[in-house]
Structure formats: structure tokens, C-alpha cells
Amino acid sequence: NSTEILDRRAARCWTGRGATMGLVLLVGAAVAQQSKAFPPGWNGLAQTPPMGWRSWNAYHAGISQELMLQMAVALAARNRTVAGHPGKVSLCDLGYCSIGVDEGWEDCTAGATPSRQHDAAGLPTIDARFPDMGGMVARIHDLGLTAGWYLNGCACGEHVELMKNYQGDVDSLHKFGFDGVKIDGCGLQKNMTYYAELMQATGKSYTIENCHWGHCTASDNSSCPTTGWCPFNWYRTSGDINSGSTSWLSNLQTTRRFQDWQAPLSVPGCWAYPDMLEVGLLAEPFPGKLPTWDRAHFGAWCIVSAPLILGLPLTDAKLAPVLDFIGNAEAIAINQAWAGHPGLLVEEVQASEQDLHARAIEPPRRSLAAQAVAPSPTAAGPAVPAFSDQRQAAHHHYGVRLAPEVASGAEPIPSQLWAKPQPAGAAAALLINTSPLPLRYSLLLAQLNLTAASYTVRDVWARQAHPASPASKAIEVLVAPYDSSFLLLSPVDQRVA
């Protein structure tokens, strides 16, 4: 029925058009006040970055109910030996307790015209490979896991937006017992406020991933939150990641516009997300460097508080090379901790075998928080101050010389220092060497706002402590090619055991 097709251009004026169009929205009046109804953290979920596994990177659309249950058993099985953990543990013991069904469950041949993924009642059509979706979710719950679904997908190419399809999606989400959902950007059911209203009306809270590829707009379809609007729990900052050797590094750069020091837009309940992890699937950047490059990728997601969603097949052969670092409790703790900021880029550097020189970074012309405006923008923090020499400047905060976002296809990304505040006056630092040459770096504690007399230095990857270092003395770091150094710096009275 053509009268059911939504006018997305009028989404902000929904209340005024609702009666005319003859559509039903459960809490339609809230759309005009979305910044109040759906602020970051509105549903109380994802107060720490979510962790789990999702099917797309490993299997693309080639999934089935049987396969998903096999992966659920693999997540829950307490049969793995992981460095730093006594006895046998499961991936869920490590924190990965959610399993996500991605593209591939839809039956694109059973939809009603003009839809392709929904029937005449607006309910999503399900492929025969998933004969009992509700039973599958119940079995996942029996294993002690949570289950996530996937909506507005790409397989069917549904190019019509109907209110009954939104309603049918959420009715089915609730009926099957899912705990969360990823909402992609391929179909036309993109209005995140509508979805949040309908989910709220069920009486159950769902974790919600906004997968609209980092497109920031002034509509309710936006991929990007504001300080007052985030009707989801994590949001894609980028296009799709892939297993190429540099894809993860490029995607990492897209988080930078959400990391303003004074007003970050990646916060508890509303996390910036550069896509699922490709750990265990990456191409080698250089012969023999795959294990350390995989580890650098994982460390990068940890240092920016990104959700840690694994994407590799959960087989013994695939897990063996990566298990010790995806199970590194210290790295995960850094990811999960909140001390007022999600983490950000401190400096770009270039490596040589003998020395290091800082790469000049052009200061932003305006606050990066303002660049991430979507619906209902609020006042952003003041512009980040610029200094002529980052290494010599008095650092007010990590973001003194925060670089603008790196565009896809730009020049190769240099080595980078990232950092994240930690509780009790500590800070984590990740130095990523993107070069085929060793990287020698002098880490000045003032760069990380560390002002105590001395600090313990903890090597996160090695799980080893080094002697305390006076704040006035630089810490000398040597990073092998295509590798990373992950350090936790704590005041001496907050030493990590």
C-alpha cells in the first residue's frame, strides 16, 4: 500500500504527518524530542564495550542454524588453555559471551511486493536453513550466552521503507527471544529512533548496533550520535572491514573524530566501533609478521574502547595462533575500563633503525566533536589548541595535536602512539609500528598527563612489570616491524601485581 511508505524527509515532523499517512508508531510523539528520550546510555546496556562473536567475517552469508549452534558450543566450551589463566577456560570465561547471527538467515524469495525481506504482514521471511529461530536462541541461552540478530540487511536489497516492516522486525526480535540486534544500512528501514521506540515498547532492553557505515547526517538514519542522541549502544564509524593487511588500520583512523578530549562521543552505552575484528583472518603485511600484526590489531581495538567482536571461525586451528592475546586479561581490562575518555591518537611517528622523528600533524580547524554532529546537535567543546611542536609543548591533554581523520585511500598510515586514561591516575599506551623497520621511541610521561613522581611500567603483551620510572625520565621503547608495544603506566602506589 503506497500510503504506508514513509516519507523519510519528514521523519523529524512525524507527529504532524502520522494521522494523514494512516501509520501507527507506538511512541511517535517522542521522535520530535529524541535528544531527551534517547541520550547515550538510555537503555542501561553496554556500559562497557561489548564482547562476543559474529558470523559475517568468517562465513559471510553461508550460515545456518546448525552452524550457529556449533559456534555457540565453541564459545561456551571450557576446554582451552590460555596464558595467564589457570586451568581450562572457555571463550565466554574470557568475556566473549555473545553470539551474533549476521547476514544469511533471510529468505529473499518469500517477501511480499514491494518488499523482498518481509511478508504482507511486515514480518521478516526466514530461510529454511533456520527452521526454528526461537529454539536456536533458547539453546544459546541454555549455554549461558546471549544472542544477537541482524536486520535491514544487504542480501535481499529491500528498497522500500514501511512502518509495518519496522514493527514486524521488532515483533520477531522479541518473539524469538534475542538479546540484541545489528541494524545494517542496505535496506531502507534505517530510522534508528523508530527502532529504539519500538524496542522500548516491548518492555525488554536490547543491545543495538548501528551499522550505517560512519555516515553522519542530520536525520534519524545517521550512523553518528550527538551528546544528546544515541538510540543505539555502539555505532559503526567506518565502511566494512576486510582481511587485507591494512584494512583494520584504516578503519581505526575513523574513530578519531569521536575522540575529542573534552567532549568525546564514544562513551559508556554509546561506543564508537570500527567494525568486527579481523584477528585470525588477516593477510600478512610482511613475511613472518602475521602474529604480531594480528596482535597490534587487537590492541588497537582495546586502546580506543571499541567493542571486541571476534569474527574468525571458532576452530582449534584458527584460534591457536591468537588465543593468548585475545584472552589477555590485562589488554581486555584496559578496553573495559572507563576513566572519563575512550582513548585517542597522541602522535604519529616515523621509524628508522637508529632514531625516531615526530611526524608533523596539522591541527584541526575546529573541534572534532562538532564534525560528528548528527540529529539534534548540542554545543561542542572548545577547539583543540595547537602547538608548533608537539614533543616540546606543555601537554594539557592527549589531544593537543589530534590529527584529522585519515581518508580511505590516502597515503600510507605512519606508526602511531595511542593512549587511554585508566582508573586511579594510570594510563595505557599502545605504540603501533606500521613500518618494515624497527621503531625506537622515547615516551615522555607528560604526553599522557602523568604527573606523579614515578610510575610502574607494565608490559601488557608480556604480562611483565618493569622497574619504576621517574615521571621526568623518558621510557625508551623498541618495537619490531609490524608489531606493537602495549604498556600500562601506574603511579607507584597503584602498582599492578
Side-chain angles (χ1 to χ4, degrees):
N1 188 331
S2 62
T3 62
E4 289 188 308
I5 300 175
L6 296 176
D7 184 348
R8 289 174 305 285
R9 293 170 296 180
R12 306 283 294 178
C13 302
W14 171 261
T15 306
R17 289 184 58 86
T20 303
M21 298 181 72
L23 302 179
V24 178
L25 184 62
L26 294 185
V27 198
V31 176
Q33 300 176 342
Q34 61 186 9
S35 63
K36 294 181 181 179
F38 301 106
W42 63 277
N43 62 6
L45 302 180
Q47 291 301 293
T48 58
M51 297 176 63
W53 180 89
R54 185 164 275 277
S55 59
W56 176 258
N57 285 359
Y59 300 107
H60 297 108
I63 58 173
S64 66
Q65 180 171 316
E66 179 182 7
L67 175 65
M68 294 306 300
L69 289 175
Q70 290 173 359
M71 294 299 103
V73 169
L75 276 179
R78 191 168 281 124
N79 61 356
R80 307 192 185 282
T81 300
V82 181
H85 295 268
K88 297 291 186 178
V89 297
S90 68
L91 290 168
C92 183
D93 291 332
L94 304 177
Y96 304 98
C97 293
S98 175
I99 182 166
V101 178
D102 211 275
E103 187 83 81
W105 61 264
E106 309 94 331
D107 183 350
C108 301
T109 67
T113 303
S115 297
R116 295 190 63 196
Q117 192 176 313
H118 295 84
D119 65 17
L123 297 175
T125 52
I126 299 173
D127 191 273
R129 291 175 297 172
F130 289 83
D132 184 3
M133 193 76 82
M136 180 193 71
V137 173
R139 174 58 179 148
I140 290 170
H141 288 164
D142 289 343
L143 292 168
L145 308 174
T146 59
W149 207 17
Y150 171 87
L151 296 172
N152 198 49
C154 304
C156 299
E158 189 170 80
H159 299 306
V160 62
E161 184 180 27
L162 304 178
M163 189 59 228
K164 66 181 180 182
N165 291 353
Y166 284 100
Q167 185 73 62
D169 283 349
V170 175
D171 285 349
S172 298
L173 182 75
H174 191 65
K175 173 186 174 182
F176 295 141
F178 282 104
D179 307 288
V181 62
K182 169 182 173 181
I183 299 173
D184 211 330
C186 290
L188 289 186
Q189 271 69 233
K190 297 181 184 180
N191 190 305
M192 299 305 296
T193 301
Y194 292 167
Y195 270 125
E197 288 180 337
L198 293 168
M199 290 182 213
Q200 188 178 54
T202 69
K204 178 178 177 177
S205 295
Y206 299 88
T207 56
I208 305 169
E209 176 191 338
N210 178 339
C211 181
H212 293 174
W213 315 321
H215 297 161
C216 298
T217 71
S219 79
D220 299 271
N221 298 357
S222 180
S223 188
C224 310
T226 69
T227 55
W229 181 83
C230 186
F232 34 84
N233 296 109
W234 64 102
Y235 54 96
R236 278 278 293 279
T237 61
S238 66
D240 287 353
I241 200 169
N242 62 58
S243 60
S245 63
T246 61
S247 176
W248 71 264
L249 189 61
S250 295
N251 275 29
L252 174 65
Q253 311 312 308
T254 66
T255 67
R256 287 157 57 170
R257 56 183 165 160
F258 304 100
Q259 295 162 351
D260 180 83
W261 179 256
Q262 296 184 0
L265 290 176
S266 181
V267 297
C270 184
W271 302 104
Y273 180 47
D275 208 353
M276 296 165 281
L277 289 157
E278 286 279 0
V279 166
L281 299 171
L282 290 178
E284 282 190 324
F286 196 79
K289 287 298 179 181
L290 181 56
T292 57
W293 195 236
D294 258 334
R295 187 175 67 177
H297 170 20
F298 183 76
W301 264 230
C302 288
I303 203 71
V304 297
S305 304
L308 301 178
I309 309 300
L310 301 174
L312 74 168
L314 300 179
T315 63
D316 292 345
K318 281 292 187 180
L319 284 167
V322 303
L323 194 55
D324 283 350
F325 63 79
I326 66 171
N328 186 309
E330 297 177 28
I332 292 171
I334 288 168
N335 170 265
Q336 298 285 290
W338 181 256
H341 198 278
L344 77 171
L345 178 68
V346 178
E347 188 172 26
E348 290 186 332
V349 297
Q350 291 183 346
S352 73
E353 290 185 311
Q354 301 297 324
D355 202 359
L356 172 141
H357 302 282
R359 173 186 171 96
I361 302 175
E362 180 183 353
R365 293 184 176 89
R366 59 193 177 108
S367 168
L368 296 187
Q371 295 183 29
V373 167
S376 304
T378 59
V384 177
F387 291 85
S388 59
D389 186 339
Q390 178 174 341
R391 294 302 298 266
Q392 298 178 8
H395 282 68
H396 295 246
H397 51 69
Y398 298 173
V400 168
R401 297 296 299 278
L402 190 63
E405 181 183 358
V406 172
S408 176
E411 64 184 73
I413 297 168
S415 299
Q416 295 181 326
L417 174 65
W418 295 75
K420 179 184 176 182
Q422 295 291 290
L430 181 75
L431 186 60
I432 304 171
N433 185 359
T434 65
S435 165
L437 300 175
L439 172 63
R440 300 179 186 274
Y441 186 81
S442 296
L443 177 61
L444 305 174
L445 299 191
Q447 288 177 280
L448 308 184
N449 286 348
L450 298 180
T451 58
S454 61
Y455 289 82
T456 59
V457 181
R458 180 81 174 177
D459 185 329
V460 173
W461 293 144
R463 302 179 181 85
Q464 292 179 351
H466 296 284
S469 175
S472 59
K473 182 181 178 181
I475 298 172
E476 301 301 324
V477 183
L478 176 62
V479 186
Y482 300 108
D483 201 349
S484 60
S485 177
F486 204 175
L487 303 176
L488 178 63
L489 307 163
S490 305
V492 290
D493 58 349
Q494 299 291 334
R495 188 181 307 235
V496 176

